[in-house]
Amino acid sequence: MSKIRNVAIIAHVDHGKTTLVDEILKQAQVFRENEETETCVLDSNDQERERGITILSKIISVNYGGCKLNIIDTPGHADFGGQVERVLKKADCVLLLVDAAEGPMPQTRFVLNKAIQLNLQPIVVINKVDKDDARCDEVLDEVHDLFFELGATEEQVFCPVFYGSGRDGWFAESPDGSQEDIKPLLNCIVNDIKPPAQIEGPVQLQITTIDYSSYVGRIGIGRVYRGTLDKNKPVMTIADDGTEIRASIKQLFVFDGLGRREVESVECGDICAIVGLTNCDIGLTVCDAEEPEALPKLELDKPTLSMLFRVNDSPLFGQEGELVTSRQVADRLFKEVEKDVALEVEDVNGEAFRVSGRGILHLSILIESMRREGYELSVSQPQVITREIDGVKHEPIENLSVEVPEESGGKVIEIVGGRRGEMKTMETRSGRTMLNFSIPTRGIIGLRSRLLTATQGEAIIGHSFEAYEPMKGDFPHRRNGVLISMAQGESTAFAIDALQQRGIFFIDPNTAVYEGMVVGENSREGDLMVNVLKNKQLTNVRSSGTDKAIKITPASVKSLEEYLEYVGADELVECTPKNIRLRKRLLKEVERKRGSKLP
């Protein structure tokens, strides 16, 4: 009997996946007793730490009860569904974490559906039972209803259930069970979950994740589905297009704790990392050199949003970044595609590239990574990817859930309804209202900021892709126009103070601006050209009554995601290592007027 268990932890965002992994590491004694550890150990990426979310799936390995447990931590955001789909193929079992108060959310449905399609064994873990508004029995009923909706087998529906608190480090078979440790959960994984099937024959492995090292290059990570992988035997690699290349393995690693350990061979069912494959890529099959046989291609959901990435051609071009040419931008984008199979890049004209992904967060993570690496680029307004089905144009539809205080429910319904959203369910409990909508992906763009403003920041929003449906009607993207700088230079406090009644400014005094740069939001419809460089005229006359104190409202500073949601069809977001700016696509006013008159 195999002593390996491959377990993936899946859940909606912020339901406690990475915190549970922390407890598994502690209670499996991966750390020394006197070793200081931080929370969310696996969220090691800078952006993961800053945002408090998991972006990349990670694998750790612990030994417990005589078994090796390969634990796979997965992202919770719908935008990173491509990561979840790939890594689930490595697993035999999933821990489905559900918040004891919130219950199943949109991403819970998405990841559970993928697990059921792969016929994985589930264990339901109802987390955060220490919350004041926890409702364990109701949440369990909702989870079972979700299993039935998704067509789960009887064995999957009646799976083990555990209750507890990952933060406090305990799980038990009932909400009022022993609160000592998480051993009941780990014992269930070891004793009740079937081990990986031991299939004899020529070796087969599929690369589902790519790692990179500046010393050895690309490292392919995958699971051995058949036979035993031997480092000293030649292998054949088969790409998605059927290309076969004979190769030899330079180094072979298995996961051990938070790191990796070099080995000579890997048995069937284990997850390993391979160094030395020249054509290492996602979906690549590694098999026996004498009896090559490819595994089925990885089938993933297609992207729903696209944006145009292009070189930065503003007057401030090249002043803040080092990597500014179209060739450098192209190399970086195509390099990202090799690691992220949910991303697609298409060369439009040699200077612009259409980048398609799962959502604004998915694309903004890529843009932010490029900024930090020294790239300068400009990106267009996100556009939904439509499909032609039976001669009818279809668009992606999302399942949107919004949790707000009871008194804010009417505002949310009005805002979402104005974006062609259709309410499916409404439930009120403990003074808060849970609303569920079906809404076009177009309507999601820019919705978060409007809902947060309308609810004084108390809205909890989640969404996931549902299906393609015929195009809904049009709706306005942005009501108000923008304030546009009419000259290049540095903004002054005197000019901004005089213009404050015209709208809300995105810049502070002494900020570098140029002609065509968007410096604020107009208080009315239509765009307005403004002079933010104007200085006070100096004269020799002075009196206490002529000068007034300048009082400037602080600038409305937007994040990268907020700019991507705000940008209009005739605008671009300029991204550099030091600044994020909004600008018109055509910088000269005369060119914009000429363009607006064209048919």
Side-chain angles (χ1 to χ4, degrees):
M1 183 177 177
S2 174
K3 296 294 184 181
I4 297 171
R5 303 289 186 273
N6 298 314
V7 183
I9 303 178
I10 59 175
H12 186 77
V13 62
D14 202 32
H15 278 198
K17 297 180 297 299
T18 308
T19 305
L20 174 57
V21 174
D22 288 350
E23 285 304 317
I24 292 174
L25 287 167
K26 288 177 187 175
Q27 299 197 25
Q29 298 180 338
V30 171
F31 304 117
R32 300 189 311 273
E33 288 186 14
N34 63 344
E35 186 174 353
E36 290 188 12
T37 59
E38 51 192 4
T39 57
C40 296
V41 175
L42 292 195
D43 286 347
S44 53
N45 182 298
D46 287 343
Q47 290 198 61
E48 289 179 323
R49 289 235 166 250
E50 290 167 16
R51 297 168 184 265
I53 61 172
T54 300
I55 297 171
L56 303 171
S57 61
K58 319 279 194 327
I59 302 175
I60 60 162
S61 179
V62 299
N63 290 307
Y64 180 83
C67 270
K68 177 185 180 183
L69 307 183
N70 288 321
I71 309 292
I72 306 166
D73 185 23
T74 65
H77 272 278
D79 290 31
F80 308 115
Q83 291 268 348
V84 180
E85 289 175 76
R86 281 187 285 132
V87 298
L88 283 182
K89 294 185 76 72
K90 299 192 193 106
D92 301 296
C93 161
V94 291
L95 297 185
L96 178 68
L97 258 70
V98 183
D99 189 294
E102 294 181 3
M105 299 289 277
Q107 184 67 355
T108 312
R109 169 186 288 272
F110 174 82
V111 293
L112 180 59
N113 188 34
K114 296 298 178 186
I116 289 173
Q117 288 175 9
L118 293 169
N119 199 31
L120 303 180
Q121 304 172 69
I123 297 176
V124 174
V125 180
I126 297 178
N127 195 18
K128 305 184 182 182
V129 298
D130 52 333
K131 279 187 170 182
D132 293 337
D133 55 347
R135 46 190 192 95
C136 299
D137 293 340
E138 292 177 44
V139 167
L140 182 59
D141 290 340
E142 291 172 10
V143 172
H144 282 151
D145 290 343
L146 185 58
F147 271 105
F148 284 118
E149 281 180 42
L150 298 175
T153 64
E154 187 175 337
E155 186 182 0
Q156 288 173 324
V157 173
F158 298 103
C159 61
V161 180
F162 288 85
Y163 304 83
S165 169
R167 186 185 61 184
D168 296 337
W170 69 272
F171 284 100
E173 294 183 3
S174 64
D176 52 0
S178 171
Q179 300 186 7
E180 293 181 6
D181 49 40
I182 63 169
K183 287 181 180 177
L185 176 59
L186 297 178
N187 289 334
C188 176
I189 295 172
V190 172
N191 299 324
D192 298 345
I193 297 301
K194 298 174 185 175
Q198 297 298 297
I199 305 173
E200 300 295 332
V203 67
Q204 270 189 321
L205 175 144
Q206 190 168 44
I207 303 296
T208 52
T209 311
I210 296 290
D211 198 359
Y212 182 80
S213 165
S214 55
Y215 295 101
V216 298
R218 307 187 78 194
I219 303 169
I221 300 172
R223 170 180 164 173
V224 180
Y225 291 100
R226 186 176 70 191
T228 300
L229 183 62
D230 193 329
K231 171 187 171 183
N232 302 312
K233 289 184 179 179
V235 294
M236 185 73 76
T237 61
I238 307 176
D240 283 347
D241 60 3
T243 305
E244 297 185 2
I245 299 177
R246 196 177 178 91
S248 59
I249 299 172
K250 293 180 180 176
Q251 288 179 292
L252 191 59
F253 297 90
V254 292
F255 291 87
D256 188 5
L258 292 172
R260 298 172 189 161
R261 173 169 50 87
E262 189 168 1
V263 293
E264 293 295 312
S265 63
V266 180
E267 67 175 279
C268 182
D270 205 353
I271 300 171
C272 63
I274 304 174
V275 175
L277 303 180
T278 54
N279 60 335
C280 188
D281 205 351
I282 299 290
L284 185 77
T285 299
V286 180
C287 52
D288 190 273
E290 305 303 325
E291 300 179 64
E293 184 183 348
L295 284 162
K297 290 182 181 180
L298 290 175
E299 295 293 336
L300 303 176
D301 289 343
K302 292 294 183 182
T304 55
L305 275 181
S306 69
M307 296 167 63
L308 282 178
F309 284 47
R310 62 182 74 212
V311 293
N312 179 23
D313 58 357
S314 80
L316 302 181
F317 158 81
Q319 295 184 17
E320 298 173 359
E322 298 173 357
L323 304 165
V324 296
T325 67
S326 59
R327 179 184 59 80
Q328 290 168 327
V329 171
D331 289 346
R332 177 65 179 83
L333 291 175
F334 285 110
K335 179 182 174 184
E336 186 69 22
V337 170
E338 294 176 354
K339 293 189 295 183
D340 189 349
V341 292
L343 201 70
E344 293 180 2
V345 176
E346 176 191 350
D347 190 337
V348 178
N349 56 15
E351 293 187 357
F353 306 90
R354 181 170 284 105
V355 181
S356 305
R358 291 285 183 87
I360 284 183
L361 183 62
H362 186 198
L363 296 172
S364 70
I365 293 289
L366 170 60
I367 296 169
E368 183 64 29
S369 298
M370 293 178 68
R371 282 185 62 217
R372 297 183 183 200
E373 292 166 17
Y375 287 87
E376 275 193 22
L377 67 155
S378 57
V379 296
S380 70
Q381 181 188 48
Q383 300 289 333
V384 298
I385 300 172
T386 58
R387 292 183 183 176
E388 195 85 17
I389 303 175
D390 298 329
V392 180
K393 195 174 184 181
H394 285 58
E395 68 175 335
I397 303 295
E398 306 247 352
N399 178 19
L400 171 70
S401 70
V402 186
E403 181 182 339
V404 290
E406 195 171 345
E407 61 273 12
S408 301
K411 299 176 188 175
V412 172
I413 295 170
E414 181 182 352
I415 293 171
V416 178
R419 291 171 175 252
R420 303 291 175 178
E422 299 175 7
M423 189 171 71
K424 296 195 292 187
T425 61
M426 179 178 179
E427 181 183 346
T428 300
R429 55 174 182 264
S430 304
R432 291 184 71 83
T433 300
M434 291 286 298
L435 299 160
N436 201 269
F437 301 90
S438 178
I439 183 172
T441 301
R442 286 180 299 142
I444 295 285
I445 300 172
L447 180 65
R448 180 179 295 273
S449 57
R450 286 204 62 193
L451 290 181
L452 289 174
T453 302
T455 61
Q456 288 79 49
E458 292 203 41
I460 300 172
I461 305 155
H463 61 91
S464 65
F465 171 75
E466 199 169 62
Y468 270 85
E469 292 182 8
M471 291 286 292
K472 309 290 183 184
D474 292 330
F475 50 84
H477 168 65
R478 196 171 67 197
R479 292 179 180 175
N480 294 1
V482 292
L483 303 177
I484 308 167
S485 173
M486 61 171 59
Q488 183 169 350
E490 278 196 2
S491 60
T492 65
F494 180 79
I496 292 176
D497 178 53
L499 293 166
Q500 281 189 116
Q501 291 184 345
R502 296 291 187 181
I504 301 168
F505 276 87
F506 300 155
I507 62 168
D508 287 312
N510 304 318
T511 300
V513 299
Y514 52 82
E515 183 180 359
M517 176 175 160
V518 175
V519 294
E521 180 178 310
N522 195 358
S523 57
R524 301 179 180 181
E525 293 184 9
D527 297 341
L528 179 66
M529 298 290 292
V530 295
N531 182 6
V532 292
L533 312 181
K534 187 177 180 181
N535 275 306
K536 181 181 179 182
Q537 295 298 318
L538 300 179
T539 69
N540 288 329
V541 179
R542 291 286 183 272
S543 70
S544 60
T546 56
D547 289 340
K548 67 172 184 176
I550 293 177
K551 295 180 181 178
I552 297 177
T553 305
S556 173
V557 180
K558 292 183 181 293
S559 67
L560 176 58
E561 286 86 8
E562 288 172 331
Y563 269 126
L564 295 179
E565 291 181 339
Y566 186 83
V567 62
D570 64 337
E571 296 164 358
L572 297 172
V573 180
E574 178 188 345
C575 305
T576 72
K578 295 182 181 178
N579 289 290
I580 301 171
R581 306 181 182 95
L582 196 61
R583 51 161 284 194
K584 288 294 181 180
R585 191 185 300 270
L586 299 174
L587 298 178
K588 302 285 186 184
E589 184 180 17
V590 64
E591 293 177 355
R592 293 197 295 274
K593 287 182 177 178
R594 189 182 299 135
S596 65
K597 293 177 182 178
L598 294 175

